Amino acid sequence: EVQLVESGGGLVQPGESLRLSCAASGFTFSSYAIIWVRQAPGKGLEWVSSISGSVDTTYYADSVKGRFTIFRDNSKNTVYLQMNSLRAEDTAVYYCVKASGAWFWGQGTLVTVSS
Amino acid sequence: DIVMTQSPDSLAVSLGERATINCKSSQSVLYSSNSKHYLAWYQQKPGQPPKLLIYWASTRESGVPDRFSGSGSGTDFTLTISSLQAEDVAVYYCQQYYTTLMWTFGQGTKVEIK
């Protein structure tokens, strides 16, 4: 059974950093692309960042480019989203998604950026 | 970037009646090499992640009731709920996956019971 479990969310102040994790199980992790999608409170879905399966090509939305870094540790079946210089507008539920083969969404982790 | 625009932003439909949601992409999401439209539809209920309903513009995900159907081509797509049920109250999103691993979503359409 495919599982994706996000963790690492919490309350931080503007300018601080946070690292989200997406732990995967139930599939051959290294072969599949993973995407982060976020949803601000009461708002729609926004693609944030992606990492491909085999060659680790990365992609970023303009809104996070230069501040967020996506990377994966295939030995731990985990994708990370390192978020630096956080802003109030980064407040959202962050979902990780298995984005190749059969798609699968995790349950999300809430990030709140507030002073 | 491909911009996805849904209409309407919200709609209220009587139980058993048809609900129609439109989605327009700023450029074609048809991949000519395989003749597939890289367009998906999701349903999202409060406190839950989005649930995939339709992919390739018209292919229903396994387990999705057949009252949900997708249609369209080129840049114009439609999600139809043929007979609205109470459990269909949700927000619906279209999404393009034509640009590899750089998805974009419509702004969402809220469906309520009239």
Side-chain angles (χ1 to χ4, degrees):
Chain A
E1 179 192 4
V2 173
Q3 286 198 338
L4 292 174
V5 179
E6 302 93 337
S7 61
L11 172 63
V12 295
Q13 295 192 346
E16 293 187 338
S17 298
L18 207 57
R19 179 179 291 183
L20 304 184
S21 301
C22 171
S25 61
F27 61 99
T28 307
F29 176 74
S30 60
S31 299
Y32 291 91
I34 300 292
I35 283 181
W36 287 96
V37 174
R38 69 184 180 185
Q39 186 169 36
K43 302 298 184 182
L45 302 168
E46 180 190 14
W47 167 72
V48 174
S49 183
S50 308
I51 187 165
S52 64
S54 53
V55 295
D56 284 3
T57 304
T58 58
Y59 307 84
Y60 298 93
D62 288 344
S63 58
V64 306
K65 201 172 294 182
R67 300 188 298 123
F68 290 13
T69 302
I70 189 171
F71 59 100
R72 64 196 300 157
D73 184 340
N74 290 334
S75 69
K76 295 183 178 179
N77 283 6
T78 300
V79 167
Y80 302 94
L81 187 67
Q82 177 67 41
M83 305 186 296
N84 299 332
S85 303
L86 283 162
R87 306 166 180 168
E89 54 265 35
D90 297 318
T91 294
V93 174
Y94 285 73
Y95 297 100
C96 66
V97 186
K98 174 180 172 286
S100 52
W103 297 345
F104 187 89
W105 290 61
Q107 292 296 310
T109 187
L110 175 63
V111 172
T112 303
V113 184
S114 174
S115 55
Chain B
D1 293 4
I2 299 178
V3 177
M4 308 300 290
T5 304
Q6 291 180 227
S7 62
D9 290 334
S10 65
L11 76 161
V13 176
S14 300
L15 289 172
E17 295 300 305
R18 179 184 300 260
T20 301
I21 301 169
N22 300 303
C23 175
K24 188 174 184 67
S25 58
S26 61
Q27 65 187 72
S28 174
V29 295
L30 172 65
Y31 201 45
S32 56
S33 64
N34 59 11
S35 300
K36 289 184 180 292
H37 289 92
Y38 284 54
L39 189 284
W41 289 97
Y42 290 87
Q43 175 193 68
Q44 188 179 32
K45 298 181 179 180
Q48 297 182 17
K51 173 187 176 183
L52 180 65
L53 298 175
I54 302 283
Y55 57 97
W56 300 134
S58 61
T59 301
R60 202 178 300 115
E61 174 75 331
S62 176
V64 173
D66 60 7
R67 63 180 180 273
F68 292 92
S69 64
S71 63
S73 63
T75 61
D76 292 282
F77 301 91
T78 300
L79 175 70
T80 302
I81 309 172
S82 61
S83 176
L84 191 75
Q85 304 300 303
E87 61 266 32
D88 301 334
V89 169
V91 179
Y92 292 83
Y93 295 93
C94 63
Q95 173 226 324
Q96 67 80 19
Y97 49 106
Y98 181 86
T99 46
T100 305
L101 297 181
M102 292 184 286
W103 295 354
T104 50
F105 298 87
Q107 79 276 18
T109 296
K110 186 174 185 178
V111 174
E112 300 172 308
I113 304 294
K114 185 187 291 183

mmCIF file of all heavy atoms in Angstrom, chain A residues 29-68:
data_model
loop_
_atom_site.group_PDB
_atom_site.id
_atom_site.type_symbol
_atom_site.label_atom_id
_atom_site.label_comp_id
_atom_site.label_asym_id
_atom_site.label_seq_id
_atom_site.Cartn_x
_atom_site.Cartn_y
_atom_site.Cartn_z
ATOM 1 N N PHE A 29 10.670 3.781 -4.394
ATOM 2 C CA PHE A 29 10.742 5.225 -4.198
ATOM 3 C C PHE A 29 11.647 5.923 -5.206
ATOM 4 O O PHE A 29 11.288 6.944 -5.790
ATOM 5 C CB PHE A 29 11.213 5.514 -2.777
ATOM 6 C CG PHE A 29 11.410 6.963 -2.474
ATOM 7 C CD1 PHE A 29 10.325 7.803 -2.284
ATOM 8 C CD2 PHE A 29 12.689 7.495 -2.368
ATOM 9 C CE1 PHE A 29 10.500 9.142 -2.001
ATOM 10 C CE2 PHE A 29 12.878 8.830 -2.089
ATOM 11 C CZ PHE A 29 11.783 9.663 -1.900
ATOM 12 N N SER A 30 12.836 5.381 -5.430
ATOM 13 C CA SER A 30 13.844 6.083 -6.231
ATOM 14 C C SER A 30 13.409 6.282 -7.684
ATOM 15 O O SER A 30 13.973 7.129 -8.390
ATOM 16 C CB SER A 30 15.166 5.334 -6.190
ATOM 17 O OG SER A 30 15.001 4.026 -6.699
ATOM 18 N N SER A 31 12.422 5.528 -8.119
ATOM 19 C CA SER A 31 12.010 5.585 -9.527
ATOM 20 C C SER A 31 10.957 6.640 -9.813
ATOM 21 O O SER A 31 10.627 6.880 -10.979
ATOM 22 C CB SER A 31 11.461 4.220 -9.960
ATOM 23 O OG SER A 31 12.444 3.213 -9.844
ATOM 24 N N TYR A 32 10.408 7.265 -8.774
ATOM 25 C CA TYR A 32 9.233 8.105 -8.963
ATOM 26 C C TYR A 32 9.479 9.564 -8.586
ATOM 27 O O TYR A 32 10.159 9.880 -7.616
ATOM 28 C CB TYR A 32 8.059 7.561 -8.154
ATOM 29 C CG TYR A 32 7.559 6.253 -8.707
ATOM 30 C CD1 TYR A 32 8.062 5.044 -8.239
ATOM 31 C CD2 TYR A 32 6.612 6.237 -9.723
ATOM 32 C CE1 TYR A 32 7.626 3.851 -8.783
ATOM 33 C CE2 TYR A 32 6.166 5.047 -10.257
ATOM 34 C CZ TYR A 32 6.677 3.857 -9.789
ATOM 35 O OH TYR A 32 6.252 2.676 -10.324
ATOM 36 N N ALA A 33 8.870 10.435 -9.372
ATOM 37 C CA ALA A 33 8.925 11.863 -9.102
ATOM 38 C C ALA A 33 8.027 12.217 -7.920
ATOM 39 O O ALA A 33 6.985 11.591 -7.700
ATOM 40 C CB ALA A 33 8.472 12.640 -10.331
ATOM 41 N N ILE A 34 8.451 13.215 -7.180
ATOM 42 C CA ILE A 34 7.682 13.719 -6.048
ATOM 43 C C ILE A 34 7.492 15.222 -6.227
ATOM 44 O O ILE A 34 8.422 15.940 -6.596
ATOM 45 C CB ILE A 34 8.379 13.451 -4.706
ATOM 46 C CG1 ILE A 34 8.585 11.949 -4.475
ATOM 47 C CG2 ILE A 34 7.587 14.091 -3.548
ATOM 48 C CD1 ILE A 34 7.306 11.165 -4.244
ATOM 49 N N ILE A 35 6.280 15.657 -5.945
ATOM 50 C CA ILE A 35 5.917 17.071 -6.064
ATOM 51 C C ILE A 35 5.440 17.570 -4.704
ATOM 52 O O ILE A 35 4.797 16.831 -3.951
ATOM 53 C CB ILE A 35 4.802 17.240 -7.124
ATOM 54 C CG1 ILE A 35 5.386 17.151 -8.526
ATOM 55 C CG2 ILE A 35 4.012 18.523 -6.948
ATOM 56 C CD1 ILE A 35 4.367 17.336 -9.631
ATOM 57 N N TRP A 36 5.754 18.825 -4.402
ATOM 58 C CA TRP A 36 5.154 19.517 -3.255
ATOM 59 C C TRP A 36 4.120 20.504 -3.782
ATOM 60 O O TRP A 36 4.412 21.313 -4.681
ATOM 61 C CB TRP A 36 6.202 20.262 -2.434
ATOM 62 C CG TRP A 36 7.096 19.386 -1.614
ATOM 63 C CD1 TRP A 36 8.333 18.925 -1.942
ATOM 64 C CD2 TRP A 36 6.815 18.866 -0.309
ATOM 65 N NE1 TRP A 36 8.835 18.151 -0.929
ATOM 66 C CE2 TRP A 36 7.936 18.099 0.088
ATOM 67 C CE3 TRP A 36 5.735 18.972 0.578
ATOM 68 C CZ2 TRP A 36 8.007 17.445 1.326
ATOM 69 C CZ3 TRP A 36 5.805 18.322 1.805
ATOM 70 C CH2 TRP A 36 6.931 17.567 2.160
ATOM 71 N N VAL A 37 2.934 20.439 -3.215
ATOM 72 C CA VAL A 37 1.834 21.355 -3.529
ATOM 73 C C VAL A 37 1.382 21.969 -2.208
ATOM 74 O O VAL A 37 1.302 21.271 -1.206
ATOM 75 C CB VAL A 37 0.655 20.609 -4.187
ATOM 76 C CG1 VAL A 37 -0.550 21.535 -4.373
ATOM 77 C CG2 VAL A 37 1.076 20.017 -5.534
ATOM 78 N N ARG A 38 1.087 23.253 -2.209
ATOM 79 C CA ARG A 38 0.626 23.875 -0.975
ATOM 80 C C ARG A 38 -0.744 24.514 -1.145
ATOM 81 O O ARG A 38 -1.172 24.798 -2.275
ATOM 82 C CB ARG A 38 1.633 24.910 -0.468
ATOM 83 C CG ARG A 38 1.770 26.168 -1.323
ATOM 84 C CD ARG A 38 2.871 27.068 -0.763
ATOM 85 N NE ARG A 38 3.043 28.284 -1.550
ATOM 86 C CZ ARG A 38 3.995 29.187 -1.329
ATOM 87 N NH1 ARG A 38 4.867 29.008 -0.329
ATOM 88 N NH2 ARG A 38 4.076 30.255 -2.083
ATOM 89 N N GLN A 39 -1.378 24.736 -0.009
ATOM 90 C CA GLN A 39 -2.708 25.335 -0.005
ATOM 91 C C GLN A 39 -2.813 26.276 1.181
ATOM 92 O O GLN A 39 -2.856 25.832 2.332
ATOM 93 C CB GLN A 39 -3.779 24.249 0.069
ATOM 94 C CG GLN A 39 -5.195 24.759 -0.069
ATOM 95 C CD GLN A 39 -6.192 23.633 -0.259
ATOM 96 O OE1 GLN A 39 -6.059 22.544 0.317
ATOM 97 N NE2 GLN A 39 -7.198 23.868 -1.087
ATOM 98 N N ALA A 40 -2.829 27.558 0.905
ATOM 99 C CA ALA A 40 -2.997 28.557 1.951
ATOM 100 C C ALA A 40 -4.405 28.440 2.536
ATOM 101 O O ALA A 40 -5.326 27.969 1.856
ATOM 102 C CB ALA A 40 -2.762 29.947 1.389
ATOM 103 N N PRO A 41 -4.588 28.861 3.776
ATOM 104 C CA PRO A 41 -5.899 28.728 4.418
ATOM 105 C C PRO A 41 -7.020 29.347 3.595
ATOM 106 O O PRO A 41 -6.949 30.524 3.221
ATOM 107 C CB PRO A 41 -5.713 29.467 5.739
ATOM 108 C CG PRO A 41 -4.253 29.383 6.015
ATOM 109 C CD PRO A 41 -3.585 29.439 4.678
ATOM 110 N N GLY A 42 -8.013 28.546 3.250
ATOM 111 C CA GLY A 42 -9.158 29.014 2.490
ATOM 112 C C GLY A 42 -8.889 29.308 1.026
ATOM 113 O O GLY A 42 -9.760 29.859 0.338
ATOM 114 N N LYS A 43 -7.706 28.924 0.548
ATOM 115 C CA LYS A 43 -7.328 29.241 -0.839
ATOM 116 C C LYS A 43 -7.177 27.969 -1.667
ATOM 117 O O LYS A 43 -7.440 26.855 -1.199
ATOM 118 C CB LYS A 43 -6.009 30.030 -0.853
ATOM 119 C CG LYS A 43 -6.041 31.319 -0.059
ATOM 120 C CD LYS A 43 -7.053 32.312 -0.608
ATOM 121 C CE LYS A 43 -6.997 33.624 0.141
ATOM 122 N NZ LYS A 43 -8.021 34.589 -0.356
ATOM 123 N N GLY A 44 -6.748 28.150 -2.928
ATOM 124 C CA GLY A 44 -6.613 27.032 -3.839
ATOM 125 C C GLY A 44 -5.260 26.353 -3.755
ATOM 126 O O GLY A 44 -4.442 26.625 -2.866
ATOM 127 N N LEU A 45 -5.035 25.454 -4.695
ATOM 128 C CA LEU A 45 -3.823 24.641 -4.725
ATOM 129 C C LEU A 45 -2.739 25.336 -5.548
ATOM 130 O O LEU A 45 -3.013 25.882 -6.620
ATOM 131 C CB LEU A 45 -4.143 23.276 -5.346
ATOM 132 C CG LEU A 45 -5.225 22.477 -4.632
ATOM 133 C CD1 LEU A 45 -5.669 21.303 -5.496
ATOM 134 C CD2 LEU A 45 -4.730 21.981 -3.282
ATOM 135 N N GLU A 46 -1.516 25.294 -5.037
ATOM 136 C CA GLU A 46 -0.381 25.923 -5.719
ATOM 137 C C GLU A 46 0.779 24.940 -5.771
ATOM 138 O O GLU A 46 1.258 24.472 -4.733
ATOM 139 C CB GLU A 46 0.055 27.200 -5.000
ATOM 140 C CG GLU A 46 1.239 27.899 -5.659
ATOM 141 C CD GLU A 46 1.822 29.021 -4.845
ATOM 142 O OE1 GLU A 46 1.513 29.125 -3.639
ATOM 143 O OE2 GLU A 46 2.610 29.812 -5.391
ATOM 144 N N TRP A 47 1.238 24.623 -6.981
ATOM 145 C CA TRP A 47 2.447 23.816 -7.123
ATOM 146 C C TRP A 47 3.637 24.596 -6.579
ATOM 147 O O TRP A 47 3.774 25.791 -6.854
ATOM 148 C CB TRP A 47 2.670 23.463 -8.588
ATOM 149 C CG TRP A 47 4.033 22.919 -8.845
ATOM 150 C CD1 TRP A 47 4.507 21.688 -8.482
ATOM 151 C CD2 TRP A 47 5.109 23.592 -9.489
ATOM 152 N NE1 TRP A 47 5.817 21.570 -8.875
ATOM 153 C CE2 TRP A 47 6.216 22.716 -9.487
ATOM 154 C CE3 TRP A 47 5.264 24.854 -10.070
ATOM 155 C CZ2 TRP A 47 7.452 23.059 -10.049
ATOM 156 C CZ3 TRP A 47 6.485 25.204 -10.628
ATOM 157 C CH2 TRP A 47 7.564 24.316 -10.623
ATOM 158 N N VAL A 48 4.513 23.918 -5.818
ATOM 159 C CA VAL A 48 5.659 24.558 -5.182
ATOM 160 C C VAL A 48 6.981 24.104 -5.797
ATOM 161 O O VAL A 48 7.802 24.917 -6.200
ATOM 162 C CB VAL A 48 5.666 24.270 -3.661
ATOM 163 C CG1 VAL A 48 6.931 24.801 -3.001
ATOM 164 C CG2 VAL A 48 4.418 24.842 -2.999
ATOM 165 N N SER A 49 7.188 22.785 -5.837
ATOM 166 C CA SER A 49 8.485 22.268 -6.252
ATOM 167 C C SER A 49 8.348 20.802 -6.602
ATOM 168 O O SER A 49 7.441 20.119 -6.117
ATOM 169 C CB SER A 49 9.509 22.442 -5.121
ATOM 170 O OG SER A 49 10.784 22.000 -5.526
ATOM 171 N N SER A 50 9.262 20.330 -7.463
ATOM 172 C CA SER A 50 9.239 18.932 -7.890
ATOM 173 C C SER A 50 10.654 18.404 -8.014
ATOM 174 O O SER A 50 11.594 19.166 -8.279
ATOM 175 C CB SER A 50 8.563 18.790 -9.255
ATOM 176 O OG SER A 50 7.305 19.413 -9.286
ATOM 177 N N ILE A 51 10.777 17.086 -7.861
ATOM 178 C CA ILE A 51 12.043 16.414 -8.108
ATOM 179 C C ILE A 51 11.747 15.147 -8.892
ATOM 180 O O ILE A 51 10.835 14.398 -8.547
ATOM 181 C CB ILE A 51 12.801 16.137 -6.795
ATOM 182 C CG1 ILE A 51 14.194 15.583 -7.086
ATOM 183 C CG2 ILE A 51 12.014 15.218 -5.858
ATOM 184 C CD1 ILE A 51 15.123 15.630 -5.878
ATOM 185 N N SER A 52 12.499 14.926 -9.950
ATOM 186 C CA SER A 52 12.248 13.767 -10.796
ATOM 187 C C SER A 52 12.724 12.494 -10.110
ATOM 188 O O SER A 52 13.415 12.538 -9.079
ATOM 189 C CB SER A 52 12.948 13.942 -12.136
ATOM 190 O OG SER A 52 14.348 13.992 -11.948
ATOM 191 N N GLY A 53 12.398 11.356 -10.735
ATOM 192 C CA GLY A 53 12.714 10.095 -10.095
ATOM 193 C C GLY A 53 14.157 9.688 -10.246
ATOM 194 O O GLY A 53 14.867 9.518 -9.252
ATOM 195 N N SER A 54 14.610 9.534 -11.477
ATOM 196 C CA SER A 54 15.895 8.881 -11.675
ATOM 197 C C SER A 54 17.084 9.834 -11.703
ATOM 198 O O SER A 54 18.156 9.502 -11.200
ATOM 199 C CB SER A 54 15.854 8.091 -12.976
ATOM 200 O OG SER A 54 15.445 8.930 -14.033
ATOM 201 N N VAL A 55 16.928 11.032 -12.259
ATOM 202 C CA VAL A 55 18.085 11.909 -12.454
ATOM 203 C C VAL A 55 18.051 13.135 -11.554
ATOM 204 O O VAL A 55 18.906 13.999 -11.669
ATOM 205 C CB VAL A 55 18.216 12.348 -13.925
ATOM 206 C CG1 VAL A 55 18.518 11.146 -14.803
ATOM 207 C CG2 VAL A 55 16.968 13.058 -14.394
ATOM 208 N N ASP A 56 17.067 13.189 -10.641
ATOM 209 C CA ASP A 56 16.993 14.259 -9.652
ATOM 210 C C ASP A 56 16.965 15.660 -10.254
ATOM 211 O O ASP A 56 17.556 16.593 -9.709
ATOM 212 C CB ASP A 56 18.141 14.150 -8.644
ATOM 213 C CG ASP A 56 17.902 13.040 -7.625
ATOM 214 O OD1 ASP A 56 16.870 12.340 -7.760
ATOM 215 O OD2 ASP A 56 18.727 12.864 -6.721
ATOM 216 N N THR A 57 16.305 15.813 -11.361
ATOM 217 C CA THR A 57 16.060 17.152 -11.883
ATOM 218 C C THR A 57 15.046 17.839 -10.976
ATOM 219 O O THR A 57 14.074 17.215 -10.538
ATOM 220 C CB THR A 57 15.504 17.075 -13.311
ATOM 221 O OG1 THR A 57 16.402 16.327 -14.122
ATOM 222 C CG2 THR A 57 15.327 18.471 -13.896
ATOM 223 N N THR A 58 15.301 19.116 -10.689
ATOM 224 C CA THR A 58 14.420 19.839 -9.769
ATOM 225 C C THR A 58 13.760 21.025 -10.468
ATOM 226 O O THR A 58 14.292 21.584 -11.425
ATOM 227 C CB THR A 58 15.194 20.338 -8.540
ATOM 228 O OG1 THR A 58 16.260 21.185 -8.974
ATOM 229 C CG2 THR A 58 15.759 19.171 -7.746
ATOM 230 N N TYR A 59 12.597 21.377 -9.952
ATOM 231 C CA TYR A 59 11.806 22.464 -10.513
ATOM 232 C C TYR A 59 11.222 23.264 -9.353
ATOM 233 O O TYR A 59 10.875 22.697 -8.301
ATOM 234 C CB TYR A 59 10.648 21.922 -11.353
ATOM 235 C CG TYR A 59 11.042 20.943 -12.424
ATOM 236 C CD1 TYR A 59 11.207 19.589 -12.131
ATOM 237 C CD2 TYR A 59 11.233 21.357 -13.742
ATOM 238 C CE1 TYR A 59 11.568 18.681 -13.104
ATOM 239 C CE2 TYR A 59 11.583 20.451 -14.727
ATOM 240 C CZ TYR A 59 11.750 19.113 -14.399
ATOM 241 O OH TYR A 59 12.094 18.225 -15.374
ATOM 242 N N TYR A 60 11.074 24.580 -9.564
ATOM 243 C CA TYR A 60 10.544 25.446 -8.506
ATOM 244 C C TYR A 60 9.578 26.470 -9.090
ATOM 245 O O TYR A 60 9.795 27.010 -10.185
ATOM 246 C CB TYR A 60 11.685 26.208 -7.815
ATOM 247 C CG TYR A 60 12.689 25.308 -7.134
ATOM 248 C CD1 TYR A 60 13.837 24.891 -7.789
ATOM 249 C CD2 TYR A 60 12.461 24.847 -5.840
ATOM 250 C CE1 TYR A 60 14.752 24.053 -7.174
ATOM 251 C CE2 TYR A 60 13.359 24.006 -5.217
ATOM 252 C CZ TYR A 60 14.505 23.611 -5.889
ATOM 253 O OH TYR A 60 15.399 22.769 -5.270
ATOM 254 N N ALA A 61 8.541 26.757 -8.321
ATOM 255 C CA ALA A 61 7.666 27.877 -8.663
ATOM 256 C C ALA A 61 8.434 29.176 -8.455
ATOM 257 O O ALA A 61 9.312 29.264 -7.579
ATOM 258 C CB ALA A 61 6.415 27.848 -7.789
ATOM 259 N N ASP A 62 8.086 30.189 -9.231
ATOM 260 C CA ASP A 62 8.777 31.479 -9.104
ATOM 261 C C ASP A 62 8.655 32.036 -7.696
ATOM 262 O O ASP A 62 9.565 32.710 -7.204
ATOM 263 C CB ASP A 62 8.204 32.479 -10.113
ATOM 264 C CG ASP A 62 8.612 32.178 -11.540
ATOM 265 O OD1 ASP A 62 9.570 31.397 -11.731
ATOM 266 O OD2 ASP A 62 7.961 32.720 -12.455
ATOM 267 N N SER A 63 7.543 31.744 -7.031
ATOM 268 C CA SER A 63 7.283 32.301 -5.700
ATOM 269 C C SER A 63 8.238 31.770 -4.635
ATOM 270 O O SER A 63 8.356 32.370 -3.562
ATOM 271 C CB SER A 63 5.836 32.015 -5.286
ATOM 272 O OG SER A 63 5.582 30.618 -5.298
ATOM 273 N N VAL A 64 8.919 30.659 -4.913
ATOM 274 C CA VAL A 64 9.812 30.083 -3.903
ATOM 275 C C VAL A 64 11.239 29.917 -4.406
ATOM 276 O O VAL A 64 12.130 29.536 -3.633
ATOM 277 C CB VAL A 64 9.296 28.714 -3.407
ATOM 278 C CG1 VAL A 64 7.854 28.834 -2.911
ATOM 279 C CG2 VAL A 64 9.411 27.655 -4.487
ATOM 280 N N LYS A 65 11.474 30.203 -5.679
ATOM 281 C CA LYS A 65 12.801 30.023 -6.267
ATOM 282 C C LYS A 65 13.835 30.856 -5.517
ATOM 283 O O LYS A 65 13.613 32.033 -5.225
ATOM 284 C CB LYS A 65 12.757 30.406 -7.745
ATOM 285 C CG LYS A 65 13.866 29.838 -8.596
ATOM 286 C CD LYS A 65 13.617 30.118 -10.073
ATOM 287 C CE LYS A 65 12.399 29.385 -10.591
ATOM 288 N NZ LYS A 65 12.190 29.616 -12.041
ATOM 289 N N GLY A 66 14.940 30.218 -5.186
ATOM 290 C CA GLY A 66 15.994 30.899 -4.451
ATOM 291 C C GLY A 66 15.855 30.813 -2.938
ATOM 292 O O GLY A 66 16.789 31.135 -2.207
ATOM 293 N N ARG A 67 14.664 30.411 -2.471
ATOM 294 C CA ARG A 67 14.430 30.290 -1.022
ATOM 295 C C ARG A 67 14.218 28.838 -0.597
ATOM 296 O O ARG A 67 14.579 28.461 0.516
ATOM 297 C CB ARG A 67 13.205 31.109 -0.612
ATOM 298 C CG ARG A 67 13.312 32.593 -0.908
ATOM 299 C CD ARG A 67 12.143 33.365 -0.299
ATOM 300 N NE ARG A 67 10.852 32.940 -0.846
ATOM 301 C CZ ARG A 67 9.836 32.491 -0.105
ATOM 302 N NH1 ARG A 67 9.958 32.396 1.199
ATOM 303 N NH2 ARG A 67 8.692 32.146 -0.673
ATOM 304 N N PHE A 68 13.593 28.038 -1.464
ATOM 305 C CA PHE A 68 13.299 26.645 -1.150
ATOM 306 C C PHE A 68 14.219 25.733 -1.950
ATOM 307 O O PHE A 68 14.589 26.039 -3.097
ATOM 308 C CB PHE A 68 11.849 26.306 -1.505
ATOM 309 C CG PHE A 68 10.783 26.938 -0.635
ATOM 310 C CD1 PHE A 68 11.084 27.976 0.252
ATOM 311 C CD2 PHE A 68 9.477 26.493 -0.703
ATOM 312 C CE1 PHE A 68 10.115 28.549 1.041
ATOM 313 C CE2 PHE A 68 8.489 27.060 0.078
ATOM 314 C CZ PHE A 68 8.806 28.093 0.941
#
